[in-house]
Amino acid sequence: MKHRSIEVLAHQELTEADLGGLRQLFDSKYLKEFGEWDPQQPYGYASHDVHIMARIEGRVVGHVGWARREIAVGTETLAIAGVGGVLISGDARGMRLGEELMRCAEQSMRARGHLGFGYLGCREQVVPFYESCGWKRILAREKSIGRDGEPVVDDPGPPILILPIAPLELWPEGDIDLRGRAW
């Protein structure tokens, strides 16, 4: 059996080898569509404060990233962990690494504290995966800053999911302002 590990690293703890492994993972999936991966602005989206990486025999085969941010929901301000960069290499699929990475991401959100919710947007096809990991779908208008630096407003409909760290009932009603780029 091949050696498999999962690490949780703050962004500033990433080594050049870590960055090279992440670049290889992301470029294998997105290079043609988005160009080379940039850890400071991955494909024009928000960067991550924390990286959860899966390795097999030392090679990076999976990733989940998150960043702490205060966002506005209705008239309230919430501290959330914006999640992005969820990816498993093609040759590592079917090993349940995605579930392990999401579980480790949740643990790291809880351990690093003072967060009410995890937050992510995704494609419709992957909603069942996130729901199986404990995430809840919500419906709201979402405002963010686009890849071109201009404001973007998405009407309710595209998948938005939250992970309750605080009780779910504490999620307020209203429009969401991410106060920056999406993840």
Side-chain angles (χ1 to χ4, degrees):
M1 181 156 180
K2 294 181 179 181
H3 178 71
R4 173 172 142 167
S5 65
I6 294 184
E7 296 175 276
V8 179
L9 295 169
H11 184 74
Q12 63 272 17
E13 296 173 331
L14 294 176
T15 66
E16 286 302 317
D18 293 333
L19 289 169
L22 288 171
R23 182 169 287 107
Q24 189 172 23
L25 173 68
F26 281 92
D27 284 351
S28 70
K29 174 77 174 171
Y30 298 116
L31 181 64
K32 288 179 185 171
E33 186 176 356
F34 295 108
E36 285 188 19
W37 178 78
D38 177 351
Q40 301 307 318
Q41 196 174 72
Y43 311 118
Y45 294 100
S47 59
H48 305 117
D49 298 332
V50 178
H51 299 267
I52 299 89
M53 297 187 303
R55 298 178 195 268
I56 295 178
E57 299 295 324
R59 183 173 66 90
V60 177
V61 296
H63 175 267
V64 173
W66 66 266
R68 184 187 189 284
R69 185 184 300 163
E70 290 189 358
I71 66 170
V73 182
T75 60
E76 296 187 39
T77 298
L78 293 179
I80 57 98
V83 173
V86 180
L87 183 62
I88 303 293
S89 69
D91 62 336
R93 293 206 176 125
M95 298 180 187
R96 307 193 74 85
L97 278 174
E99 290 175 15
E100 280 186 67
L101 286 169
M102 293 304 290
R103 194 170 37 257
C104 287
E106 178 181 355
Q107 290 168 355
S108 71
M109 290 174 206
R110 291 180 186 281
R112 295 182 190 228
H114 303 36
L115 297 167
F117 297 87
Y119 185 96
L120 64 80
C122 64
R123 294 173 293 126
E124 194 67 50
Q125 301 91 314
V126 294
V127 168
F129 165 73
Y130 290 115
E131 289 177 332
S132 74
C133 294
W135 291 71
K136 309 294 181 200
R137 188 168 184 168
I138 60 171
L139 194 61
R141 175 175 288 112
E142 180 188 73
K143 180 181 174 188
S144 64
I145 302 297
R147 295 174 54 181
D148 59 3
E150 295 296 318
V152 174
V153 177
D154 290 318
D155 286 327
I160 299 172
L161 291 101
I162 59 172
L163 177 69
I165 295 170
L168 183 59
E169 301 78 43
L170 295 180
W171 183 267
E173 293 289 322
D175 293 348
I176 298 167
D177 183 349
L178 294 182
R179 297 180 175 168
R181 294 178 187 234
W183 293 271

